[in-house]
Structures are given as structure tokens and as C-alpha cells.
Amino acid sequence: MLIFLGIFLLCAAVCLVEIPYLKKVNSKKEKQIFWSLFIVSILIVSLIYGGVEIPNPGDGIAFLLKPFSDFLFSLLK
């Protein structure tokens, strides 16, 4: 529980530093990208420290491309 508190305190510190800059810059896209990436990163870090196993993106890509790879190798035989 202490780890989660530390994560959220660190996130609050980052927000305190970044929010004044985001208010000064009136770019809606930059704000959306910042908050989207910030929330995703908080979720990933919280899940990792919570003991949830997060799959490797390379495994998903390999799973999707395996049939195509098998097809190409069958043509080369």
C-alpha cells in the first residue's frame, strides 16, 4: 500500500510541475496527449507494482504475424 501512495505522490508532483506549463500553452492537442499518456503510465505502473503480469507487446505481434509467416514458409518449401 505504501508503494501505491508513493506512486500517486510522485504523480501529484509531476502534475504540479506540468499543469502551469499546460495552462500557459493553449494547445488542446498537447493537453490531450499529456493526460492520455499520463493516465496510461499511472495505470501500467500501478498494475506492475500490484503484481499483475503485463504481457509483452512483442508476443501479441508475433501471434498476429505467425499465420502469415507460416504461409510464406510453406511457399518457400
Side-chain angles (χ1 to χ4, degrees):
M1 188 66 175
L2 190 59
I3 291 175
F4 291 114
L5 181 62
I7 291 170
F8 288 114
L9 287 176
L10 184 63
C11 292
V14 169
C15 284
L16 288 175
V17 171
E18 290 295 326
I19 287 176
Y21 171 74
L22 290 173
K23 284 183 179 179
K24 191 184 318 179
V25 177
N26 288 325
S27 174
K28 186 175 181 180
K29 288 182 183 179
E30 188 171 345
K31 290 177 186 178
Q32 289 175 342
I33 291 171
F34 172 78
W35 287 112
S36 299
L37 292 174
F38 190 69
I39 290 170
V40 167
S41 65
I42 290 172
L43 287 173
I44 290 173
V45 169
S46 297
L47 289 173
I48 288 173
Y49 282 109
V52 177
E53 185 176 331
I54 298 176
N56 184 357
D59 295 339
I61 293 170
F63 176 76
L64 291 174
L65 294 179
K66 179 74 170 138
F68 182 67
S69 171
D70 292 341
F71 172 71
L72 288 179
F73 281 120
S74 70
L75 290 177
L76 294 174
K77 286 184 180 180

